[in-house]
Amino acid sequence: MPVSLPLFSLSPWVQAILGLILILNLGLLAAERQQICIRLLALQGAAISFLPLVMEWDVAAWTLFALTLAFLFIKGIALPHMLRRAHRSLPASAPVPPYLGYTRSILAGLLGFAFALWLAVSMPTPANPLFLALFAPAFGTILTGLLLIVTRRKALTQIMGYLVMENGIFLLGIPLVRGDTYWLELTVMLDIWVGIFVMVLAVYHLNRAVHTTDVDRINSLRD
Amino acid sequence: MVFLLCSLFLFAGGGLCAVLAGRGKRASIIGAVFALLASLAGLIPAVRAIAARILAQPAVFYLDLGALPIGRALFRLDALSAFFLVPIFLLAGLCAIYGVGYLARVHDSDPGRRHLGVQWLFFNLLAAGLVLMIVAADAFLFLLAWEIMSLAPFFLISLHDEELKVRTASWIYLVAAHLGALCLLALFALLAARSGGSLAFADFETAKIMAGDLGGALGGTGVMFVLAVLGFGAKAGLMPLHVWMPETYPAPPSHVAAFMAGAMVNAGVYGLFRCLEFFGPPELWWAYLLIVLGAFSALLGILLALIQNDIKRSLAYSSVENMGIVHLAAGFGLYAAVAGSHGLSILCFAAGLLHLFNHSLYKALLFLSAGSVRSRTGTAELSRLGGLQKRMPVVGCCFALGAASITALPPFNGFAGEFFLYVSLATGGSQGDFAGLIYWVGLAVLAAVGGFTLLCFTRLYGLAFLGEPRSEAARQSGPVSFLERLPQLALCLLCLAAAFAAPWLASVITSFVVPELGFSAQVFRPADIAPVQLLTSVNSVFLVFLLLLGGLVLLRSLLLRGRPVKNSPTWDCGYAVPSARMQYSGGSFSQPASHFMRALLGGQAHLPEIRDYFPAGARAYLSFPDRIKEGFFRPLFLICLGVANWCKRLQHGRVNGYILYMLLVLVALLAWKVGGHD
């Protein structure tokens, strides 16, 4: 069965942003140092923030600008800033390789994206063609986030995994936006925002209490 | 039915009031008074249902209290359920009275340590659960009541939870009860599937007629029958599902043990008999299964009872034996029903039910007496007892009467059921053809069991109550309090009453109770009731014998009146220093029998090797581990433990891993549901 994803029916701007997000996914999987991870994440957040602007939602222009600015502020600046502060407050330590190793992480990320593509083509065709277009990148990003959470040893990188996952969920929600329903995206983001806030605090206190954020060693706390 | 509801509410309300009354003796009194009132209120509808049946009035009472979340609160009281209710109410009241006395002493020995209110809550809940289960006419209500009834003893058993044995016993009980309940859940699910989703018992019965081949799709009624035997057999203590019984019965307070042994085990038999109505025409292999399991339980049960050192453990194994006899009777009842001789089938079932009824009375009596022994001497081990007849004469006489009843000595009440079964089996066996042979085999097993029972209870009574005390505690023991004595005396009277009313009871059961078992309700000719007349004449002969004996005793005391009577020690062959240790011990008493049956029991003798010419200190002892427990259940549960321990690795505490599980499940689900579309 010849399959054509309506990915290429999107405007070139959208295509470019989606492409950037996917490349950044791989970059996140490959990054060794946490500072680089934070930067890549900030870049991914910023890239995603421009999507409302280029997606031609039928909302007033000023709302679009306001939304873009809000997303840009939270995803591109505030969250990375929090992570950076948390990173600085932790003692410097040599990077630990993930459970899976870097090369295999990247391969797993690619496999995840391939799985997402396969899902997209074998899904029953949704009524909204935009959903089909965005499904593969969105789901690929969610899988990348999960992969980061599963394979990384440092608590802070795992938190970044949650953020990447949230970016994927954000992408998945974009086709659902009709008129004033952009609040959906805002609520999801608010959710993650609080979640990350709590997690960063937890990591900070955990480090003060047990002097490590290495999840392998935190495990020894369990009963 | 109003009284029955009152009784249920009194049980439940009494339990709650007892808890509110706190930890002390006040809770005991409140709980017991409510249990007593509930029992009296409950006896009215039970007796009325049977009386109505005898007077040929409409005798099946219904009550519908509306829908439950699943199923309906449907109650049904017919002669069969009324027959099972009578011993429950009798024992609930009597055991409650005993419990007041027993728990008062537990409280005095360590005030405030144990919460008596909670004990009474669960005792009353146990009784209420049993009653509810017996009158439930809806699978959900039945299972609900079954669960209440199964769960409550767990809390009762663990009263003395500072002892390791007691904690182990309550866990074993809990596991066994739930494994049984699991089978029942499957059984009722199958029955509900066959009746098109309805959970009402009435629909199960109609579905059996319409089902035809539909049952085959669900594995047939055979699977249901096996599930019923497993689920209900576990409660009744049928071998090899009996292992919880000898562990559990010695652990709780005696009134709880007596209630469990006298009333709760009946629940298993009731469930099986009730479910026979739902299965449709019985098949031959069902009968064989019940006969084999029953014979096996009876024989091995009594042999194991024979070699126990703990009175209560011995009584527990004897319960296994008695339940074996009941199932043996039911098996022959099914066998006869399949063979088409319905009169014989009814007789066999009647024999089983009669035996069950009598067992309730004397087993409760024996447990209460054994409890008095333990509470006065601090031990129930035969090797530390002895000479108690002089020190607690009432308990000794009660135990003797219970022992005489359980050994089926005529004219005591245990005799009636077994005699009925003997006659039924002989009738079946005299049919002449090859099919009659199995009846004779059953008869032989029954006779062997009877012999061993006699030996077992002679041993229990003889070692505990006769001879000289084997420990200081036994020497120091004294008579028991009035509250503990009263229920025992009442049970003695009930046993004697049941003994003399046996022909009447037998005819009531034969004519009115057994026909309620759906499948054998065909013709029953009055000629088939010949064993009842036989029973009457045997009983009369022994009554005359007893009167003669009593007359002789009277004559003796008349002749001795006014003459000096001197007590002197037994002739001791001139040996100067006899001691209590020179008496028969439990092991030596049963050694010939256990040696004879060693192929079945597989005991080990640990004998010292004597090399020197001059005697030195040495120990010899016999051990008889329960082979089914050690050889089957222990390895089985070790495997389960291994699997469970391996599964623990899945729970390693690493969040990454847990998210990986989610990821894998998510990917697998998506691949399966979404990918499978094209």
Side-chain angles (χ1 to χ4, degrees):
Chain A
M1 183 174 89
V3 185
S4 68
L5 282 180
L7 193 62
F8 302 104
S9 60
L10 298 167
S11 77
W13 281 111
V14 180
Q15 287 185 32
I17 290 177
L18 290 180
L20 183 63
I21 290 169
L22 289 175
I23 292 168
L24 286 171
N25 280 347
L26 294 182
L28 276 162
L29 285 172
E32 193 177 12
R33 293 171 54 205
Q34 287 187 341
Q35 274 167 316
I36 297 183
C37 270
I38 296 171
R39 270 179 219 154
L40 290 175
L41 193 67
L43 202 58
Q44 196 179 42
I48 280 184
S49 311
F50 284 104
L51 270 179
L53 212 55
V54 296
M55 283 300 289
E56 297 152 6
W57 287 349
D58 49 350
V59 260
W62 68 268
T63 320
L64 277 183
F65 275 110
L67 271 179
T68 307
L69 278 179
F71 288 143
L72 197 60
F73 172 72
I74 294 173
K75 284 182 175 295
I77 300 168
L79 283 173
H81 180 68
M82 267 168 63
L83 287 173
R84 207 168 289 133
R85 268 188 61 181
H87 175 71
R88 261 190 233 126
S89 70
L90 301 177
S93 60
V96 250
Y99 290 115
L100 215 57
Y102 291 106
T103 324
R104 268 173 289 180
S105 284
I106 298 169
L107 278 177
L110 282 175
L111 260 179
F113 186 58
F115 176 69
L117 276 174
W118 174 74
L119 270 186
V121 297
S122 50
M123 238 177 357
T125 319
N128 184 355
L130 198 58
F131 181 78
L132 192 55
L134 282 177
F135 180 81
F139 199 70
T141 311
I142 292 177
L143 286 180
T144 306
L146 281 172
L147 210 60
L148 279 174
I149 299 170
V150 172
T151 57
R152 295 308 151 111
R153 288 176 203 260
K154 289 282 181 188
L156 207 61
T157 333
Q158 290 185 350
I159 295 175
M160 284 187 251
Y162 282 101
L163 278 174
V164 174
M165 217 169 84
E166 196 273 331
N167 285 342
I169 296 169
F170 183 89
L171 281 181
L172 214 53
I174 282 182
L176 302 176
V177 175
R178 282 275 178 283
D180 287 336
T181 50
Y182 51 81
W183 53 263
L184 178 89
E185 295 286 26
L186 284 173
T187 46
V188 172
M189 198 173 59
L190 203 66
D191 224 26
I192 298 288
W193 164 271
V194 176
I196 300 296
F197 196 72
V198 173
M199 277 189 263
V200 169
L201 275 181
V203 168
Y204 181 69
H205 283 285
L206 203 62
N207 185 52
R208 278 185 43 173
V210 296
H211 303 290
T212 182
T213 57
D214 193 334
V215 281
D216 277 341
R217 298 173 64 186
I218 293 173
N219 276 336
S220 60
L221 289 178
R222 83 186 172 115
D223 53 12
Chain B
M1 287 305 266
V2 178
F3 278 106
L4 199 68
L5 273 187
C6 281
S7 162
L8 282 173
F9 278 118
L10 278 171
F11 273 128
L16 288 177
C17 289
V19 169
L20 292 179
R23 312 180 77 91
K25 288 188 202 169
R26 208 167 35 163
S28 253
I29 292 167
I30 291 176
V33 166
F34 270 95
L36 207 58
L37 288 177
S39 306
L40 290 176
L43 273 175
I44 298 170
V47 171
R48 216 185 91 205
I50 296 179
R53 194 78 167 73
I54 296 172
L55 300 173
Q57 290 167 352
V60 183
F61 303 96
Y62 291 97
L63 185 67
D64 188 350
L65 289 184
L68 292 172
I70 311 169
R72 291 184 78 77
L74 266 179
F75 299 85
R76 182 176 188 270
L77 181 63
D78 59 8
L80 184 67
S81 31
F83 174 78
F84 276 90
L85 282 179
V86 171
I88 293 176
F89 285 127
L90 284 178
L91 293 186
L94 291 174
C95 292
I97 298 175
Y98 185 95
V100 176
Y102 179 85
L103 291 176
R105 256 162 0 90
V106 168
H107 182 76
D108 288 341
S109 67
D110 190 359
R113 162 86 171 76
R114 296 182 174 84
H115 200 302
L116 299 194
V118 171
Q119 273 286 310
W120 284 100
L121 169 70
F122 287 111
F123 181 79
N124 283 6
L125 273 184
L126 169 62
L130 258 174
V131 173
L132 190 62
M133 185 217 89
I134 293 207
V135 294
D138 179 276
F140 181 73
L141 190 67
F142 183 91
L143 286 173
L144 192 75
W146 186 270
E147 196 58 31
I148 295 174
M149 180 263 289
S150 296
L151 214 53
F154 172 73
F155 300 97
L156 293 168
I157 293 165
S158 52
L159 176 70
H160 295 282
D161 56 1
E162 69 276 6
E163 294 171 33
L164 177 67
K165 249 194 208 163
V166 171
R167 291 198 299 271
T168 321
S170 42
W171 277 115
I172 290 179
Y173 171 78
L174 197 67
V175 171
H178 280 90
L179 286 181
L182 202 65
C183 294
L184 295 186
L185 213 59
L187 165 70
F188 283 109
L190 283 180
L191 279 169
R194 195 183 62 174
S195 70
S198 169
L199 290 171
F201 282 0
D203 290 334
F204 290 168
E205 280 181 60
T206 44
K208 115 187 138 185
I209 302 160
M210 300 189 297
D213 294 332
L214 192 76
L218 302 161
T221 39
V223 174
M224 293 188 203
F225 180 75
V226 170
L227 282 173
V229 169
L230 286 177
F232 293 121
K235 182 61 68 183
L238 202 59
M239 272 194 188
L241 308 162
H242 70 286
V243 282
W244 62 273
M245 256 186 182
E247 307 298 327
T248 304
Y249 283 179
S254 299
H255 63 289
V256 176
F259 190 65
M260 285 169 74
M264 201 182 77
V265 283
N266 293 4
V269 180
Y270 170 79
L272 185 65
F273 280 19
R274 183 57 86 195
C275 282
L276 284 178
E277 293 175 29
F278 308 148
F279 293 153
E283 290 168 34
L284 194 58
W285 66 267
W286 302 4
Y288 283 128
L289 182 70
L290 279 188
I291 290 172
V292 168
L293 288 182
F296 188 52
S297 305
L299 198 57
L300 208 53
I302 195 60
L303 283 175
L304 284 165
L306 185 59
I307 52 177
Q308 301 302 322
N309 188 29
D310 185 297
I311 299 185
K312 288 190 168 185
R313 262 182 93 88
S314 188
L315 289 177
Y317 275 116
S318 140
S319 278
V320 175
E321 172 243 341
N322 279 289
M323 288 300 124
I325 292 178
V326 172
H327 283 87
L328 188 75
F332 279 112
L334 280 182
Y335 185 81
V338 175
S341 36
H342 294 290
L344 186 59
S345 161
I346 290 181
L347 278 185
C348 287
F349 275 109
L353 286 174
L354 188 58
H355 189 73
L356 193 74
F357 181 77
N358 288 323
H359 172 253
S360 292
L361 298 179
Y362 55 66
K363 190 46 71 66
L365 171 61
L366 286 169
F367 263 107
L368 291 186
S369 304
S372 291
V373 167
R374 189 168 74 173
S375 69
R376 280 286 167 268
T377 61
T379 177
E381 288 177 19
L382 289 175
S383 55
R384 300 172 56 77
L385 297 173
L388 295 179
Q389 180 67 49
K390 286 178 199 151
R391 288 166 178 81
M392 35 174 86
V394 176
V395 174
C397 289
C398 290
F399 194 91
L401 186 84
S405 298
I406 202 170
T407 43
L409 292 181
F412 296 106
N413 66 338
F415 169 70
E418 290 202 24
F419 175 74
F420 226 63
L421 191 54
Y422 276 119
V423 174
S424 313
L425 292 182
T427 314
S430 55
Q431 282 169 348
D433 54 353
F434 181 72
L437 198 61
I438 186 170
Y439 290 104
W440 292 115
V441 174
L443 201 83
V445 169
L446 203 61
V449 168
F452 284 124
T453 314
L454 198 60
L455 196 60
C456 172
F457 281 88
T458 315
R459 171 176 176 266
L460 284 186
Y461 178 74
L463 290 177
F465 289 95
L466 303 181
E468 287 298 313
R470 292 177 178 78
S471 69
E472 198 47 39
R475 193 180 301 280
Q476 300 285 329
S477 62
V480 295
S481 70
F482 174 71
L483 281 177
E484 291 182 37
R485 219 181 309 155
L486 181 69
Q488 295 181 39
L489 290 173
L491 278 170
C492 282
L493 281 181
L494 281 172
C495 278
L496 288 176
F500 289 109
W504 178 78
L505 266 178
S507 69
V508 166
I509 294 172
T510 323
S511 327
F512 305 119
V513 179
V514 180
E516 298 283 351
L517 298 173
F519 69 100
S520 62
Q522 287 89 351
V523 261
F524 183 72
R525 298 181 308 278
D528 291 325
I529 213 156
V532 176
Q533 284 142 14
L534 204 53
L535 189 61
T536 318
S537 39
V538 173
N539 258 8
S540 333
V541 168
F542 276 95
L543 188 62
V544 170
F545 172 73
L546 274 189
L547 286 177
L548 275 178
L549 199 69
L552 282 176
V553 172
L554 210 67
L555 189 65
R556 177 177 177 271
S557 62
L558 270 178
L559 289 175
L560 285 176
R561 202 163 55 176
R563 300 179 191 201
V565 177
K566 204 179 85 183
N567 281 332
S568 56
T570 324
W571 183 53
D572 48 14
C573 305
Y575 186 66
V577 275
S579 86
R581 290 182 61 215
M582 293 168 65
Q583 305 172 90
Y584 257 105
S585 73
S588 56
F589 192 96
S590 54
Q591 200 263 342
S594 63
H595 182 74
F596 179 58
M597 297 305 282
R598 64 187 178 282
L600 269 176
L601 287 171
Q604 290 165 336
H606 305 269
L607 299 173
E609 202 177 327
I610 297 173
R611 288 200 184 127
D612 299 330
Y613 292 109
F614 296 101
R619 285 172 63 85
Y621 61 97
L622 299 166
S623 65
F624 295 94
D626 189 330
R627 280 175 139 188
I628 296 172
K629 183 180 159 202
E630 300 299 326
F632 178 68
F633 282 104
R634 190 174 294 279
L636 182 73
F637 280 103
L638 279 179
I639 293 172
C640 289
L641 188 68
V643 172
N645 271 335
W646 184 86
C647 286
K648 260 195 201 163
R649 289 187 198 180
L650 290 175
Q651 193 196 3
H652 41 59
R654 254 172 264 139
V655 181
N656 317 40
Y658 296 152
I659 293 171
L660 180 67
Y661 298 154
M662 288 187 226
L663 184 68
L664 290 178
V665 171
L666 185 74
V667 166
L669 276 181
L670 277 171
W672 173 46
K673 284 317 273 187
V674 179
H677 248 276
D678 49 12

